Amino acid sequence: MKSKFKALLRRLPVMLLAALALTATAAPVSAADGTWTAAVGGFPLDVVPVTGSGFTPDNPFTITFQGNQVATGTSSGTGTIAASFSVPLVPRGNYALNIVSAGDTAVPKNFQVVSKIFVMPTQGSVGSEMSVQGVGFTAFTAVTIHFDSLTNPVLSQATTNANGTFTTNVFATPSTTAGNHVVYAKETASGLFSNTNFIVNAGIALSVAEGHVGDIVTVTGGGFTAGGSVQLYFDTVDAANLIKAVTANAASSTTPGSISTTITIPATARGNHTIIARDVTSTLVTPGKVFAVTPKIIINPATGAVGSQVTVTGAGFSANTSVSFEWDGSAISGVAAVTSNATGGFTKTFTIPNATSGEHTITARDAIGPAEEVYSVAAKITLSPDSGTAGSTVNVQGNGFMTTGTVNITYDNVVMATATLTNGTFSASFTVPGGMSGTHTVRATDSQNNTAVAAFTATLSATLDPITTEAAPGHVSQDLTITGTGFLPNSAITVKFGDNNIASATSNATGAFTTAFKAPAVAAGTYVITVTDGTNTRTFNFFMEAVAPAAPELVIFTEENKAKQPITFEWNDITDDSGVVYTLQIGTDSTFNALVLQKEGLTASSYTMTEEEKLETVSKDAPYYWRVIATDGAGNISAPSTANSFTVGFSFADVPVWAWAVGGVFLVIIIGGLAYVIYRRSASY
């Protein structure tokens, strides 16, 4: 790169730095002195013209730069000089420039070397490679490269050599709008910089240059109108071939005018095609980027047994041409060729020929060449049914094995059956052994170790009879039966009602069992019945009824509710599926806040008080009250019976007023008669 750079610079046209094209004229020292002019400064490798007059005619001269010869010549017959020199590769700074001519005297001049950069190439699209070379910078200093502004991110960096020159590594043209842009090279230490122009052209790049129909390809680009629409086309810029439209980044973006998107390669025939971008605003159309389409096939399914169907879909073949099919490099018997369509596509379905298990190659071939894909032939078995309990029968069918011979069928590596192969197929059956529930492996293997595997799901079957629900709950002492199949064979079975063991059984050789028990006396609610063999577990919900018994009806005492001790209280029987017990309450008030007796857990519908429970005599003005409450086995409590009052023993308060009046009359009569008798007897004496 450096040699090309130097060769290019040697071919640069003679030019002057306009900002430095100041001419200095030396005054003659004597009659023999010459006067001469040259630019006061320039960049290394720049060609600087030198002119002069008053020199000795036809006299050789030398131009020196800091004492080193940089050019030679001979003055004209009239003593004029016309020459040029190339500024040496030196760091920036001031250097002595002079003309040395025998017999003549010329005044040295000061020549200022300034920096200059060159961009290779001078134009390109966003993402294209570029590099920067610089001359006339400070020796041994770091230089950074910026685009459009010294404050923009560093694109590349380098360190100058002893001559103040550098060359950066290749870097990508940043995303920006199309047109003229400025490239800067800045000395990190001094902040001094040099710049030059670079033309950005709109363009795109592809993430890959070759692939298949349907491939996803990333398209990046730049130099488009900021915020404008960019259309991507396939092969030609017309509506029928428009692939996608995107919006370029806005001017406020860090990458204005750039795009990054993905496209899907459309259906097309094999060969080179172009992706083209069009800037809708400027109508600029970028040069096409070549994408080579190669043929491919997709097989569906990609694996299967001998005799199964496979569909081959092709794309990117030659258009309207015959496509034939091969299996492991040989034509497939009975499978005819197809003709591709205008975009090189086709579809073909055929039967997998006889083959051993493993990978095989399906080839689709046109006149130019093939496309291949791998198809895996695998031995296959099917189970019917593929789930069930221990003791059930499973039918096994298989294909894709050896043409002849035998095949062993195992269940969890235990041989269950052996079958004879006919053209690689077989049929067999076995009985599911007892064991754990879940997925078990059924495997068929022939003598060449061709193997097919299928999963059999062993299920537990456990039923509770009867089933209870919230709408149809159970009751205390209800007869319940659990029947199970598929549990561990010859194992202890435990049944729990809630947290309490309630029944047990032992499963038979296939894991079947039956056990019966009664629902315990528990409170109303939902309970979990669990049946387990220690490994397999099933649960059921049991709903205990929550309906309270009917309120008891009391048998009323006769004789105006006066009770004779020992008192017997009676009430009607209450019927409930969960069984009933009664609570008798006797109190001194109708609210039963003051109880004198409470008997709980009574199973009969009557109760006779004991001698110890004898009640004190009360009048009808302050009677006793009694009632009965029923509670069933599930703890459901009835409403209290209607309270009934009663008295015990004799009380003067119970004598009615009229009786007191009649008795008083009789008492007066009696007392008056006695007084009269006494009076008469005393009078007779």
Side-chain angles (χ1 to χ4, degrees):
M1 178 67 78
K2 293 183 178 179
S3 62
K4 292 182 180 180
F5 170 59
K6 292 180 179 179
L8 176 65
L9 294 180
R10 291 192 182 99
R11 294 195 296 268
L12 289 175
V14 176
M15 57 184 176
L16 295 175
L17 296 176
L20 301 176
L22 300 176
T23 302
T25 302
V29 179
S30 63
D33 290 341
T35 60
W36 62 287
T37 61
V40 297
F43 55 86
L45 302 182
D46 188 12
V47 177
V48 179
V50 177
T51 60
S53 62
F55 289 85
T56 301
D58 301 316
N59 195 31
F61 65 87
T62 298
I63 301 175
T64 61
F65 188 95
Q66 198 67 14
N68 297 315
Q69 177 182 305
V70 292
T72 61
T74 302
S75 62
S76 69
T78 59
T80 62
I81 289 176
S84 63
F85 70 94
S86 179
V87 179
L89 288 171
V90 293
R92 74 165 71 241
N94 293 318
Y95 295 87
L97 182 64
N98 199 8
I99 294 179
V100 178
S101 177
D104 296 324
T105 301
V107 178
K109 298 182 182 300
N110 182 59
F111 188 90
Q112 184 180 22
V113 173
V114 296
S115 59
K116 176 72 174 181
I117 63 172
F118 306 90
V119 178
M120 300 289 291
T122 59
Q123 60 179 304
S125 59
V126 171
S128 63
E129 292 183 343
M130 62 185 295
S131 66
V132 176
Q133 296 171 326
V135 296
F137 285 76
T138 302
F140 305 115
T141 190
V143 177
T144 56
I145 307 302
H146 306 265
F147 204 83
D148 280 339
S149 171
L150 289 170
T151 59
N152 283 343
V154 174
L155 296 180
S156 185
Q157 54 189 358
T159 301
T160 62
N161 60 19
N163 294 327
T165 66
F166 69 87
T167 300
T168 68
N169 292 326
V170 173
F171 59 92
T173 302
S175 295
T176 186
T177 55
N180 289 324
H181 293 268
V182 180
V183 177
Y184 292 89
K186 182 180 73 171
E187 293 183 0
T188 303
S190 67
L192 297 175
F193 64 88
S194 181
N195 61 276
T196 190
N197 289 333
F198 182 84
I199 299 174
V200 174
N201 300 318
I204 59 173
L206 307 180
S207 57
V208 291
E210 182 180 273
H212 308 295
V213 171
D215 283 358
I216 304 299
V217 177
T218 299
V219 179
T220 56
F224 299 99
T225 302
S229 177
V230 179
Q231 297 172 327
L232 299 175
Y233 293 87
F234 193 80
D235 280 338
T236 59
V237 182
D238 56 65
N241 289 333
L242 177 64
I243 303 175
K244 196 173 191 178
V246 296
T247 300
N249 289 346
S252 58
S253 168
T254 56
T255 57
S258 66
I259 63 170
S260 180
T261 187
T262 59
I263 60 171
T264 301
I265 301 302
T268 189
R270 74 160 81 218
N272 289 337
H273 298 268
T274 54
I275 311 298
I276 306 167
R278 177 178 179 270
D279 188 320
V280 175
T281 303
S282 68
T283 70
L284 172 70
V285 176
T286 66
K289 287 292 182 180
V290 174
F291 184 87
V293 172
T294 57
K296 74 169 182 178
I297 59 173
I298 297 174
I299 55 178
N300 184 35
T303 184
V306 171
S308 60
Q309 296 288 297
V310 64
T311 297
V312 179
T313 302
F317 284 76
S318 300
N320 305 311
T321 192
S322 177
V323 180
S324 60
F325 301 92
E326 302 169 1
W327 178 270
D328 287 341
S330 299
I332 306 174
S333 177
V335 178
V338 298
T339 300
S340 63
N341 59 24
T343 58
F346 65 83
T347 299
K348 178 70 175 181
T349 299
F350 56 87
T351 301
I352 297 300
N354 287 332
T356 58
S357 296
E359 293 186 345
H360 298 267
T361 301
I362 293 177
T363 303
R365 185 186 301 275
D366 64 14
I368 297 178
E372 299 177 341
E373 192 58 77
V374 172
Y375 183 90
S376 295
V377 172
K380 180 182 179 181
I381 60 173
T382 56
L383 308 180
S384 179
D386 59 6
S387 66
T389 61
S392 59
T393 299
V394 178
N395 296 313
V396 185
Q397 290 186 326
N399 57 42
F401 291 84
M402 294 171 52
T403 303
T404 59
T406 59
V407 62
N408 288 330
I409 296 97
T410 62
Y411 183 93
D412 288 345
N413 297 321
V414 177
V415 176
M416 306 300 295
T418 300
T420 300
L421 290 165
T422 302
N423 294 325
T425 66
F426 73 88
S427 294
S429 63
F430 67 91
T431 300
V432 177
M436 293 182 59
S437 64
T439 301
H440 297 264
T441 300
V442 178
R443 180 179 283 105
T445 305
D446 64 21
S447 60
Q448 289 187 355
N449 211 31
N450 294 314
T451 301
V453 176
F456 181 84
T457 303
T459 58
L460 295 183
S461 174
T463 59
L464 173 67
D465 183 42
I467 296 295
T468 60
T469 64
E470 288 185 285
H475 58 81
V476 175
S477 297
Q478 182 173 14
D479 290 324
L480 300 172
T481 301
I482 293 180
T483 301
T485 57
F487 284 72
L488 293 179
N490 305 312
S491 296
I493 306 297
T494 302
V495 180
K496 284 188 174 183
F497 192 101
D499 294 328
N500 300 316
N501 291 338
I502 198 169
S504 62
T506 300
S507 62
N508 64 16
T510 61
F513 69 89
T514 298
T515 183
F517 56 94
K518 292 182 180 293
V522 292
T526 303
Y527 296 85
V528 176
I529 297 176
T530 304
V531 57
T532 181
D533 58 13
T535 299
N536 302 299
T537 300
R538 288 293 182 269
T539 60
F540 309 92
N541 284 332
F542 181 86
F543 296 86
M544 180 60 76
E545 56 97 4
V547 178
E553 294 182 6
L554 305 183
V555 177
I556 310 251
F557 291 127
T558 58
E559 300 180 4
E560 296 183 351
N561 284 334
K562 182 177 288 293
K564 295 181 179 180
Q565 302 196 71
I567 305 172
T568 297
F569 298 91
E570 296 182 77
W571 55 90
N572 67 311
D573 285 322
I574 299 298
T575 301
D576 191 284
D577 289 338
S578 295
V580 174
V581 295
Y582 305 97
T583 298
L584 169 65
Q585 293 181 329
I586 301 174
T588 57
D589 64 330
S590 59
T591 62
F592 293 89
N593 288 325
L595 293 177
V596 296
L597 180 67
Q598 177 168 292
K599 301 298 292 184
E600 298 177 339
L602 303 176
T603 57
S605 57
S606 65
Y607 179 73
T608 300
M609 299 179 66
T610 64
E611 182 66 25
E612 290 78 11
E613 295 169 345
K614 186 174 181 180
L615 298 175
E616 295 181 358
T617 297
V618 294
S619 68
K620 64 181 180 180
D621 292 334
Y624 290 108
Y625 294 86
W626 71 291
R627 68 182 182 184
V628 177
I629 300 170
T631 302
D632 67 15
N636 302 305
I637 301 174
S638 74
S641 67
T642 301
N644 192 21
S645 63
F646 67 94
T647 59
V648 176
F650 173 78
S651 172
F652 287 107
D654 293 335
V655 179
V657 175
W658 63 267
W660 284 108
V662 171
V665 171
F666 279 107
L667 182 61
V668 169
I669 294 173
I670 292 171
I671 293 174
L674 291 173
Y676 178 75
V677 171
I678 295 172
Y679 171 74
R680 290 294 303 259
R681 285 182 179 182
S682 61
S684 63
Y685 292 120

